[in-house]
Amino acid sequence: MVTDNPNTDPAFTAPASAAPPSRAPGTPDLLTLTDIRKAFPAVVANDDVSLSIKSAEIHALLGENGAGKSTLVKMIYGVLQPDSGDMLWEGEPVHLTGPSDARKHGIGMVFQHFSLFEALTVAENIELALPSPGEGGPSRADLPDLIREVSRKYGLPLEPERVVHDLSVGERQRIEIVRCLLQEPKLLIMDEPTSVLTPQEAEQLFETLRRLSAEGCAILYISHKLQEIRDLCEVATVLRGGKVVAHCDPRTESTQSLARMMIGAAPKPPDRDGAKSLGPVRFEIRDLSQPALSAFGVALKNIDLKLHGGEIVGVAGVAGNGQNELMAALIGEVRGDRADAILIDDRPFGRIGPRRRRVAGACFVPEERMGHATAPDMSLAENSLLSASRRMKLARSGWIDSAKRDGFTTEVIEQFNVKTRGTAAEARSLSGGNLQKFAVGREIAQKPSILIVNQPTWGVDAGSAAAIQQALLALAADGAAVLAISQDLDELFAISDRIAVMADGRLSEAVETAKLTVEEIGLMMGGHLEQAEAARA
Amino acid sequence: MIRLQTRGEASRVMALTAPLIAVTLTVVTGAILFEALGKPAGPTLHAYFIQPLSTRFGLSELLVKATPLVLIGIGLSIGFRANVWNIGAEGQLTLGAITGGALALAFYEVDSPLLLPGMLIAGTLGGMAWAAIPAYLRIRFNANEILVSLMLTYVAGLFLSYLVSGPLRDPDGFNFPESRLFHDAATLPTLMQGLRAHWGAVIALFAVIAAWVFLSRTILGFQLKVLGDAPRAASFAGYREPRLVWFSLLLGGGLAGLAGVIEVSGAVGQLNPSISPGYGFTAIIVAFLGRLHPLGVLIGGLMMALTYIGGENAQIAIGLPVSVTGVFQGVLLFYVLACDLLIHYRIKIGRPVGVKA
């Protein structure tokens, strides 16, 4: 882990774009940051950050949530301006006034939290980010074909005419990726791009990225998946607490050593008990079919699943294959006609709403922590009332018991180590990982007999993810039935006793994790259920 | 260069000071307007804002005007919190005045202590019934409650005109479109001898306190807030939206109807086509001026009442056109909404600093 000295020698100010892409050590840097500092009212997000990126290099930016990665890349992309420090682009000092300025310089970015207009179509959203036809951009008529071409080339299926509102998180991310690729950037910043892709799709994206890199495009790659970084990147900069703690070559590091640099200590792998005794069936989905929630949604088709006390069943699948519809049906936000489609402890709950399902023992954590699992502008204490008010008796005959409410909230904050100002802090003031710990903790603290959770650790730092996974395992060990819907296969393999796969609104049989390989699941996700079962037989 | 920068977290200080900035800007705009009309700004503003508050009579009139504004504003603000946009409070007020007033006229010269409470209940029910129409249409057919409630306002107004020129017309009234004057048992008692301020003001104050407790202490109030702030979180929690929409509209309609019957029984004393100078619409401004908070609505209601009586006073004392009152209220709403921006954004003047290029 030797630190590369940022190259600030004025001799290297020749226009780099004219030079052929080369990885020779003497190549002038594409981007050099020196002593960048950015402070917000409450926190110094970046302090003396220096790093340099060469053309054609795949450069990893590693760090936990809150380490300052987002702030740093927002400055590189012109969204934020540094308080102090120097930025050199192709050897010239540069001051980016905004994202459009950054794009003019050839910097593209795929955000983790998408900035898309929900009411517009895919093509319209992409058009907004491109220069107008008068300034060299594609014409409106050509755009759909261009989008189809790029999306086909890079294996990112996308329909230009669809409205973003109807798309899943995974599909929305594809728009962002295609939007950047259309601009043929010199530096592409990718924030957690693989979190919603199948292993095959991720591998395909890596191929895309390697090809882009071979064509001379530099890539700044942000990810929590250490294995991915070791496979893909040749240089890594590690941030911790807003400071650079290391520059290294991830290919020569182990996953453990990378993790240690990132969080200061190796993450504790989730503990698994070898022997397990299964309890009775606590939750059952019986032949559940349901029309799509929107015109472009996915209908659920004949879903069957039994959840036993004491086990964790994982549901794998690419985003947009009916997971949102399934979650809505399980929570009870959408209810069908058949009461026996959903059984809690053998009692029919198919036509009963979320509040009585909770009283019967089932708790839920939906995918979107901000706006769905929590009301962003309300305090954590108020957010406790959302799902815990009946089960934990935080209200008596219609009157809020504020002492009990605050007590319960404090318990969640302490038990799950949520970093916050206190019970009065607005949900939106928490970082993603901390809010997720709160959203999961709020349900687990209710001691449910059934927990159904969608994307338990999406976009959460490694430390918080491990804590959440540990809590799910502990809950199952205490006899609860847990259903985890996730696109992170590593996670499902780490915590699940059985895994089922969702594809096109159908759910496969749940198979014991030990008998499955990642490749089989990848096949099933692609819709090859039979092929995968044949391969296993 | 002026830029807007997000604050990240809503500013609590600004949430409170933004309405004050809006009021200040309104006064400054008013001063410019008066000068442009050829009236000296200083004395006109004095006649508008200070003079009415300097006499007992003026203060009493302030309470009379503020009573319906606060009552309706309370109901609307609770609905607005839940994203239920009842714009037709004026019509609900009219219906409340009709049902309550009709009861008074039906028991004309019957001296019963039950008549007045009966009228208040009838008025409330009348307003609720009128608000039930948009509620039903929204829940059943997903009809937009803004349009339905607004259009019903004009239906209510014409209905009142019909009644006072037909069935409820004063038989000794020389064919004027007015009802008889209510007798004493149907009139809200005044608070003080010789002044018009009546017990409706106390009812409005009670509504403020009740709404404040309701929103901060009850689960139902909390559910309404969640429905407005984060509808998907409300559905995750399992709150039943139809029930909350019904509740919001019936509450808003009921309070508007109550304001209507209080107005005819306390201030007007009869039914006639001009019982309200647009209280139901002005109350929308009151609700926003008060940040949709009950105590804010109380202050906002008093402020808007002041623009009414100040306008009347300036009309008499300085000779300003009566439409200035409407202009003032409109300007105030404009500034209130514009200043809301300051809660989530701060204004930065000049280039970004600290960057070495």
Side-chain angles (χ1 to χ4, degrees):
Chain A
M1 352 164 180
V2 178
T3 304
D4 261 344
N5 274 327
N7 198 340
T8 50
D9 190 334
F12 286 108
T13 48
S17 57
S22 145
R23 298 180 191 206
T27 319
D29 294 329
L30 181 67
L31 176 72
T32 305
L33 304 179
T34 313
D35 296 340
I36 295 286
R37 181 186 161 88
K38 178 73 184 177
F40 292 109
V43 66
V44 179
N46 280 161
D47 197 4
D48 286 342
V49 172
S50 301
L51 68 87
S52 60
I53 300 172
K54 296 184 192 330
S55 281
E57 167 177 282
I58 305 185
H59 190 124
L61 190 57
L62 252 180
E64 284 198 287
N65 269 9
K69 304 185 305 285
S70 299
T71 305
L72 184 63
V73 295
K74 277 181 185 164
M75 287 189 286
I76 298 176
Y77 192 52
V79 177
L80 294 174
Q81 276 72 38
D83 296 338
S84 65
D86 297 317
M87 198 189 285
L88 296 180
W89 175 253
E90 298 181 327
E92 300 284 336
V94 66
H95 165 73
L96 299 173
T97 54
S100 61
D101 194 20
R103 286 195 294 266
K104 259 180 234 154
H105 282 84
I107 302 173
M109 175 155 180
V110 176
F111 280 93
Q112 183 188 2
H113 296 288
F114 320 131
S115 46
L116 297 169
F117 292 94
E118 299 233 333
L120 300 183
T121 66
V122 171
E124 285 166 337
N125 265 289
I126 290 176
E127 189 184 342
L128 277 170
L130 296 178
S132 63
E135 293 166 12
S139 78
R140 182 173 281 201
D142 293 342
L143 197 57
D145 288 332
L146 274 173
I147 294 169
R148 282 201 192 88
E149 188 190 314
V150 171
S151 74
R152 210 169 16 244
K153 185 170 163 198
Y154 298 114
L156 302 159
L158 210 52
E159 270 305 310
E161 284 81 25
R162 286 182 57 178
V163 178
V164 169
H165 179 77
D166 295 314
L167 299 184
S168 68
V169 177
E171 288 163 307
R172 288 176 194 207
Q173 192 178 46
R174 288 179 213 152
I175 304 176
E176 294 270 344
I177 296 177
V178 170
R179 169 152 98 175
C180 277
L181 295 184
L182 275 173
Q183 297 175 61
E184 295 165 5
K186 289 179 198 161
L187 171 64
L188 183 60
I189 306 168
M190 308 216 71
D191 195 357
E192 304 267 352
T194 58
S195 52
V196 287
L197 305 179
T198 63
Q200 285 92 341
E201 281 174 325
E203 193 48 53
Q204 204 172 359
L205 177 72
F206 293 168
E207 280 311 308
T208 308
L209 296 180
R210 290 193 187 106
R211 201 178 316 148
L212 278 168
S213 145
E215 286 166 12
C217 178
I219 289 154
L220 184 58
Y221 191 90
I222 303 162
S223 177
H224 298 116
K225 295 184 184 168
L226 305 171
Q227 186 58 47
E228 230 174 63
I229 284 176
R230 291 183 58 215
D231 288 346
L232 185 69
C233 304
E234 49 212 277
V235 184
T237 298
V238 186
L239 286 179
R240 190 164 72 220
K243 290 177 193 285
V244 174
V245 290
H247 294 286
C248 66
D249 180 346
R251 292 168 300 187
T252 65
E253 300 286 338
S254 69
T255 316
Q256 279 74 16
S257 66
L258 284 175
R260 238 187 332 270
M261 287 179 223
M262 183 167 85
I263 59 177
K268 202 168 146 227
D271 289 333
R272 306 287 313 262
D273 281 338
K276 275 200 130 171
S277 55
L278 283 191
V281 175
R282 305 305 303 259
F283 191 86
E284 184 175 351
I285 310 169
R286 197 181 280 174
D287 196 23
L288 171 71
S289 294
Q290 183 188 288
L293 293 179
S294 70
F296 293 104
V298 176
L300 299 178
K301 294 156 199 141
N302 310 99
I303 290 183
D304 284 294
L305 186 69
K306 283 183 183 159
L307 281 182
H308 298 265
E311 72 169 345
I312 300 183
V313 175
V315 173
V318 183
N321 271 287
Q323 289 95 330
N324 294 345
E325 280 81 0
L326 179 64
M327 197 63 196
L330 298 186
I331 296 175
E333 294 179 351
V334 177
R335 299 186 284 277
D337 296 330
R338 270 182 43 239
D340 67 345
I342 286 169
L343 303 169
I344 296 176
D345 292 326
D346 284 329
R347 283 181 297 144
F349 272 82
R351 302 178 61 175
I352 288 171
R355 292 201 285 172
R356 280 170 62 197
R357 290 185 191 193
R358 288 194 184 100
V359 174
C363 286
F364 313 93
V365 185
E367 174 183 1
E368 276 176 54
R369 44 188 168 257
M370 195 88 95
H372 196 190
T374 63
D377 292 323
M378 291 189 161
S379 70
L380 293 184
E382 286 179 299
N383 272 298
S384 290
L385 290 173
L386 277 183
S387 68
S389 96
R390 284 217 177 165
R391 227 181 130 68
M392 304 311 289
K393 301 191 171 54
L394 306 183
R396 243 176 300 140
S397 49
W399 293 86
I400 296 167
D401 185 334
S402 48
K404 265 183 131 172
R405 176 194 65 189
D406 295 346
F408 174 77
T409 312
T410 308
E411 190 189 314
V412 172
I413 290 173
E414 282 170 4
Q415 192 180 337
F416 292 88
N417 196 19
V418 179
K419 287 186 192 106
T420 170
R421 281 185 283 118
T423 59
E426 289 172 6
R428 71 159 73 253
S429 71
L430 269 65
S431 73
N434 277 308
L435 189 57
Q436 185 69 8
K437 281 197 280 188
F438 175 78
V440 175
R442 178 183 64 186
E443 306 307 320
I444 292 180
Q446 299 183 47
K447 302 189 173 56
S449 56
I450 300 147
L451 181 72
I452 295 171
V453 46
N454 192 4
Q455 299 276 51
T457 59
W458 188 72
V460 166
D461 59 277
S464 304
I468 289 170
Q469 291 169 354
Q470 198 63 57
L472 294 178
L473 287 166
L475 186 70
D478 282 349
V482 178
L483 182 71
I485 303 172
S486 175
Q487 268 119 54
D488 183 346
L489 284 180
D490 294 343
E491 167 170 276
L492 290 181
F493 271 89
I495 64 170
S496 309
D497 299 290
R498 295 188 294 150
I499 293 181
V501 176
M502 261 207 118
D504 194 29
R506 293 175 197 280
L507 189 67
S508 79
E509 199 189 329
V511 179
E512 275 179 54
T513 309
K515 295 182 183 163
L516 270 176
T517 64
V518 173
E519 287 69 28
E520 275 172 352
I521 290 201
L523 276 172
M524 289 156 94
M525 283 182 181
H528 307 286
L529 291 178
E530 299 79 9
Q531 206 178 322
E533 272 162 29
R536 198 171 58 246
Chain B
M1 192 172 116
I2 299 175
R3 294 180 306 131
L4 289 173
Q5 194 180 50
T6 43
R7 289 182 190 274
E9 209 172 316
S11 157
R12 282 180 186 282
V13 177
M14 266 301 159
L16 296 174
T17 50
L20 297 180
I21 297 173
V23 169
T24 311
L25 288 171
T26 307
V27 169
V28 171
T29 309
I32 296 168
L33 183 74
F34 297 146
E35 288 289 346
L37 287 170
K39 314 284 180 193
T44 314
L45 286 173
H46 182 262
Y48 216 106
F49 291 110
I50 309 294
Q51 220 169 0
L53 298 179
S54 54
T55 64
R56 278 176 39 135
F57 173 76
L59 288 173
S60 149
E61 284 302 298
L62 189 74
L63 289 185
V64 170
K65 298 277 187 207
T67 296
L69 290 177
V70 170
L71 269 174
I72 303 169
I74 287 289
L76 292 185
S77 65
I78 290 174
F80 293 166
R81 277 280 185 99
N83 268 353
V84 173
W85 302 104
N86 176 9
I87 304 298
E90 182 78 3
Q92 292 141 21
L93 172 149
T94 306
L95 250 284
I98 290 173
T99 49
L103 193 72
L105 296 168
F107 292 94
Y108 189 66
E109 295 194 325
V110 175
D111 256 333
S112 162
L114 292 179
L115 181 58
L116 205 49
M119 284 167 64
L120 296 181
I121 292 167
T124 308
L125 291 177
M128 287 168 84
W130 211 238
I133 300 171
Y136 175 77
L137 293 177
R138 166 158 167 183
I139 297 304
R140 182 72 181 78
F141 300 107
N142 202 21
N144 186 320
E145 76 275 16
I146 298 176
L147 293 176
V148 176
S149 63
L150 178 62
M151 290 189 292
L152 281 171
T153 296
Y154 304 105
V155 178
L158 293 171
F159 184 47
L160 175 63
S161 291
Y162 161 74
L163 289 177
V164 293
S165 36
L168 298 182
R169 187 173 55 194
D170 182 358
D172 310 317
F174 309 102
N175 269 342
F176 278 104
E178 293 172 348
S179 76
R180 293 175 200 263
L181 288 173
F182 299 161
H183 62 290
D184 285 351
T187 306
L188 269 181
T190 55
L191 287 171
M192 261 178 289
Q193 195 68 39
L195 292 173
R196 291 213 310 153
H198 50 76
W199 275 87
V202 178
I203 297 175
L205 192 63
F206 176 75
V208 169
I209 296 164
W212 186 67
V213 171
F214 170 74
L215 281 174
S216 60
R217 310 292 308 171
T218 69
I219 278 284
L220 185 57
F222 174 72
Q223 293 184 356
L224 290 166
K225 289 190 280 185
V226 177
L227 183 67
D229 273 9
R232 295 192 61 215
S235 109
F236 164 69
Y239 302 153
R240 280 168 289 180
E241 187 187 349
R243 210 180 77 145
L244 297 176
V245 170
W246 268 110
F247 179 85
S248 302
L249 277 163
L250 291 184
L251 181 78
L255 282 172
L258 181 63
V261 66
I262 286 176
E263 185 66 12
V264 291
S265 159
V268 183
Q270 62 172 175
L271 285 180
N272 67 47
S274 53
I275 48 171
S276 159
Y279 288 134
F281 295 116
T282 309
I284 299 171
I285 309 181
V286 168
F288 280 104
L289 195 61
R291 307 235 62 83
L292 306 183
H293 187 284
L295 297 179
V297 167
L298 177 64
I299 297 166
L302 289 168
M303 205 135 65
M304 290 309 285
L306 182 59
T307 65
Y308 272 121
I309 55 171
E312 279 170 21
N313 193 55
Q315 199 186 335
I316 296 162
I318 315 275
L320 274 181
V322 67
S323 44
V324 167
T325 304
V327 172
F328 242 63
Q329 293 176 349
V331 167
L332 184 56
L333 179 63
F334 169 79
Y335 280 126
V336 166
L337 296 180
C339 289
D340 268 7
L341 193 78
L342 297 174
I343 298 170
H344 293 285
Y345 297 88
R346 64 168 66 87
I347 293 176
K348 286 248 164 171
I349 297 174
R351 279 167 54 83
V353 287
V355 181
K356 285 179 278 175

